[in-house]
């Protein structure tokens, strides 16, 4: 194995993260070279749009618009992909790996959908595929799972892995904003994408959870295995009422291995006690709470997105891969675990069996006997009420009232039955709603 005296990279993508990488490499070249043991040299930068006006972070002499410039250059040691999306990014990565190049990517969507295939290919070609920036931007959770906790058994992962959703819910709580206003603010501040659908629908968090659960449990977790609900149906009323009961509403991602061996995989808004750790991760911050059988609870929190935090993770991956190249230690972290070969095929727990407490909110016309009817529906599904609050009496005549209940622990299947039946009561206005109450 040759030891290059410098680590030569080809950068695919010069957007938010790509420019962050160029800035970091420019400003910290000396320190990085010391820590890696060799300087990093950017050989090419490839973007898509020749007409875009670029700042001087992107050196004109290195910029081109043809990915083959990187993929066909035998002098490139590491291909860094920060283009995003499934295609053409997937083809770029395949081609880089097939050409024997080391690869670093920040692309969670691609890893969640095709990680298995890419990692299998990388192992066959004896190249490294690193992806620290793909989950929770600047938080080094991938390295913690792959290396720091390599000897532990992960009992559960609970986290907030979508900064936009966390920002929106935090602003609804702290500033009393309605969902659309909080989201607009997140967009104006640059937290949310121009199209924030993937963030608020839970899709982005599901990508990240699939990657984390795959690493934590050595089982190949697919997106379809994750129960996903977005925060887009949480209203200002829910936030206020939850608070009155001593809870914050947070965008949770949970992966747990149950005693049966099945995995519990969920992304959804949840009420968590105000005093809990995750309730206090505010604004656009992310956090992952890992519970190891040996280490116990271990919390990582920080910025899950943004040019420099994300670029930092990418560049640290380049340093790691570069060290492997310099020492000839390719394939140092076996990827078998990521491919799910070390365990039985994954078993996912039927979401209907998940037992937890629930927050139920019902809007109704104020009619005599209403509470009795509601209690009857809950009783039919064996769901018992722990607390109940009725709001809005004494308002304008025939203005709907809101009934909020916290239930004792009940299976999700029963709660779905309750919601279905409640919707049939003639007094009910709109759709009754349930939000899980979870450990935070
Ligand atoms: N932004 C974050 O905070 C963050 C955090 C964690 C992970 N990530 C991940 O990082 C990746 C990049 O995100 P980003 O925010 O930097 O995206 P971005 O700002 O949209 O940048 C994408 C870059 O890729 C280039 N590109 C797009 N299609 C291309 C093609 N067909 N061939 C060559 N270049 C192409 C674009 O070229 P033009 O400049 O010519 O348009 C642009 O430079 C994504 O996978 C994202 O999920 C981002």
């Amino acid at each position: 194995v040759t030891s290059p005296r410098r680590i030569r990279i080809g950068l695919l993508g010069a957007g938010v993260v790509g420019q962050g990488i160029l800035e970091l490499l420019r400003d910290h070249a000396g320190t990085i070279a010391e820590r890696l043991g060799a300087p990093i040299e950017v050989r090419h930068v490839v973007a898509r749009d020749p007409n875009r006006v670029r700042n001087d972070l992107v050196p004109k002499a290195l910029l081109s618009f043809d990915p083959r410039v990187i993929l066909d250059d035998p002098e490139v040691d590491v291909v860094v992909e920060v283009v995003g999306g499934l295609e053409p990014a997937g083809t770029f990565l395949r081609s880089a790996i097939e050409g024997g190049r080391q690869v670093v990517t920040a692309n969670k969507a691609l890893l969640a959908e095709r990680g298995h295939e890419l990692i299998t290919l990388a192992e066959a070609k004896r190249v490294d595929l690193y992806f620290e920036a793909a989950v929770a931007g600047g938080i080094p959770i991938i390295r913690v799972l792959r290396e720091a906790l390599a000897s532990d058994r992960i009992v559960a992962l609970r986290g907030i892995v979508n900064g936009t959703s966390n920002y929106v819910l935090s602003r609804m709580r702290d500033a009393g904003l309605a969902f659309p206003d909080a989201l607009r603010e997140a967009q104006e501040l640059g937290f949310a994408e121009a199209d924030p659908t993937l963030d608020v629908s839970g899709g982005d968090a599901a990508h990240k959870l699939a990657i984390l659960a795959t690493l934590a449990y050595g089982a190949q977790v697919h997106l379809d295995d994750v129960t996903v609900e977005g925060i887009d149906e949480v209203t200002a009323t829910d936030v206020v009422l939850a608070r009155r009961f001593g809870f914050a509403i947070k965008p949770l991602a949970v992966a747990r291995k149950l005693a049966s061996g099945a995995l519990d995989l969920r992304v959804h808004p949840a009420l968590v006690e105000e005093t809990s750790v995750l309730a206090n991760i505010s604004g656009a911050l992310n956090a992952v709470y890992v519970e190891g059988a040996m280490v116990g609870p271990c919390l990582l929190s920080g910025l899950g997105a943004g040019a420099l935090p994300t670029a930092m993770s990418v560049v640290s991956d380049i340093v790691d891969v570069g060290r492997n190249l310099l020492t000839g230690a390719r394939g140092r972290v076996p990827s078998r675990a990521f491919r799910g070969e070390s365990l039985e095929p994954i078993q996912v727990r039927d979401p209907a069996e998940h037992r937890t407490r629930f927050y139920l909110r019902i809007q109704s016309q104020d009619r005599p006997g209403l509470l009795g009817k509601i209690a009857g529906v809950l009783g039919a599904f064996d769901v018992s009420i722990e607390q109940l609050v009725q709001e809005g009496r004494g308002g304008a005549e025939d203005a709907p009232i809101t009934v909020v209940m916290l239930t004792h622990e009940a299976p999700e299947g029963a709660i779905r039955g309750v919601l279905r039946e409640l919707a049939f009561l003639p007094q009910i206005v709109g759709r009754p709603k349930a939000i899980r109450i979870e450990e935070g």
Side-chain angles (χ1 to χ4, degrees):
V1 180
T2 54
S3 294
R5 283 175 307 135
R6 45 185 56 230
I7 301 298
R8 297 157 303 184
I9 69 166
L11 185 61
L12 286 165
V16 174
V17 181
Q19 289 174 40
I21 293 168
L22 292 167
E23 184 180 340
L24 186 52
L25 289 174
R26 183 195 65 189
D27 295 349
H28 291 255
T31 327
I32 291 168
E34 254 170 48
R35 290 177 183 164
L36 163 57
I40 294 175
E41 176 193 332
V42 181
R43 275 186 71 83
H44 313 280
V45 180
V46 167
R48 179 180 44 188
D49 181 0
N51 297 319
R52 175 158 296 186
V53 180
R54 317 240 166 218
N55 60 30
D56 55 10
L57 279 171
V58 186
K60 283 202 183 53
L62 303 183
L63 182 65
S64 78
F65 301 93
D66 177 7
R68 302 284 3 149
V69 166
I70 289 178
L71 299 170
D72 292 344
D73 180 355
E75 307 266 284
V76 168
D77 302 303
V78 185
V79 173
V80 180
E81 183 272 314
V82 284
V83 167
L86 297 183
E87 284 300 338
T91 305
F92 295 164
L93 283 193
R94 277 198 77 91
S95 165
I97 296 167
E98 270 160 3
R101 245 50 75 68
Q102 315 296 307
V103 173
V104 174
T105 177
N107 194 330
K108 53 216 146 194
L110 183 60
L111 286 165
E113 301 265 0
R114 310 224 311 252
H116 177 81
E117 171 201 324
L118 289 168
I119 283 172
T120 306
L121 183 63
E123 195 169 56
K125 292 285 173 185
R126 306 255 311 129
V127 303
D128 289 326
L129 170 56
Y130 277 48
F131 48 90
E132 184 62 71
V135 180
I139 303 178
I141 180 65
I142 303 293
R143 203 163 264 112
V144 163
L145 288 176
R146 283 215 302 204
E147 300 185 30
L149 300 181
S151 70
D152 210 331
R153 177 169 58 78
I154 307 301
V155 178
L157 291 166
R158 284 200 309 283
I160 295 174
V161 292
N162 184 272
T164 301
S165 298
N166 198 28
Y167 182 84
V168 167
L169 290 176
S170 298
R171 291 294 287 160
M172 288 171 74
R173 179 180 155 83
D174 300 339
L177 299 185
F179 176 82
D181 298 330
L183 183 57
R184 199 169 317 115
E185 199 180 272
Q187 283 171 302
E188 280 162 14
L189 289 169
F191 295 134
E193 306 282 331
D195 175 8
T197 318
L198 209 54
D199 290 323
V200 298
S201 67
D204 173 75
H207 285 145
K208 294 165 180 167
L209 188 74
I211 297 170
L212 291 181
T214 297
L215 281 175
Y217 297 112
Q220 195 192 334
V221 173
H222 296 280
L223 277 180
D224 304 349
D225 298 324
V226 183
T227 300
V228 185
E229 285 168 28
I231 62 153
D232 35 2
E233 292 203 3
V234 176
T235 62
T237 310
D238 294 321
V239 172
V240 169
L241 291 168
R243 180 174 224 171
R244 196 170 311 161
F245 287 111
F247 293 97
I249 304 185
K250 287 286 172 186
L252 281 202
V254 180
R256 287 190 305 158
K257 186 150 196 197
L258 305 170
S260 64
L263 293 183
D264 173 22
L265 302 164
R266 292 175 279 121
V267 166
H268 53 73
L271 272 69
V272 297
E273 285 194 21
E274 267 171 347
T275 50
S276 67
V277 173
L278 294 181
N280 291 289
I281 306 296
S282 291
L285 283 179
N286 282 22
V288 183
Y289 201 46
V290 185
E291 197 186 321
M294 321 295 151
V295 74
C298 173
L299 177 75
L300 287 103
S301 175
L303 290 170
L308 288 177
T310 309
M312 185 282 295
S313 284
V314 172
V315 175
S316 292
D317 273 354
I318 300 171
V319 168
D320 230 359
V321 166
R323 285 172 178 156
N324 291 349
L325 281 172
L326 292 172
T327 55
R330 291 188 180 193
R332 197 170 52 79
V333 181
S335 50
R336 199 174 297 144
F338 194 88
R339 296 215 312 266
E341 285 182 1
S342 52
L343 285 182
E344 314 274 294
I346 170 182
Q347 243 187 297
V348 181
R349 197 265 312 275
D350 177 357
E353 290 170 12
H354 174 54
R355 287 183 66 87
T356 191
R357 293 161 66 211
F358 283 86
Y359 158 100
L360 295 181
R361 178 162 67 79
I362 300 157
Q363 273 205 302
S364 167
Q365 286 155 351
D366 193 3
R367 295 282 182 272
L370 172 70
L371 290 183
K373 290 211 174 91
I374 294 175
V377 172
L378 269 80
F381 287 94
D382 222 6
V383 175
S384 59
I385 302 171
E386 184 194 291
Q387 288 184 64
L388 182 146
V389 167
Q390 191 176 318
E391 289 269 307
R393 285 207 106 146
E397 199 179 325
D398 237 23
I401 58 162
T402 302
V403 178
V404 178
M405 290 164 285
L406 301 191
T407 73
H408 286 291
E409 239 183 49
E412 227 168 281
I415 296 294
R416 279 189 224 148
V418 166
L419 294 181
R420 206 174 44 237
E421 291 301 314
L422 283 175
F424 283 121
L425 292 183
Q427 302 89 332
I428 299 291
V429 182
R431 261 190 322 131
K433 152 112 129 279
I435 307 179
R436 299 167 188 82
I437 301 177
E438 297 278 338
E439 210 182 315

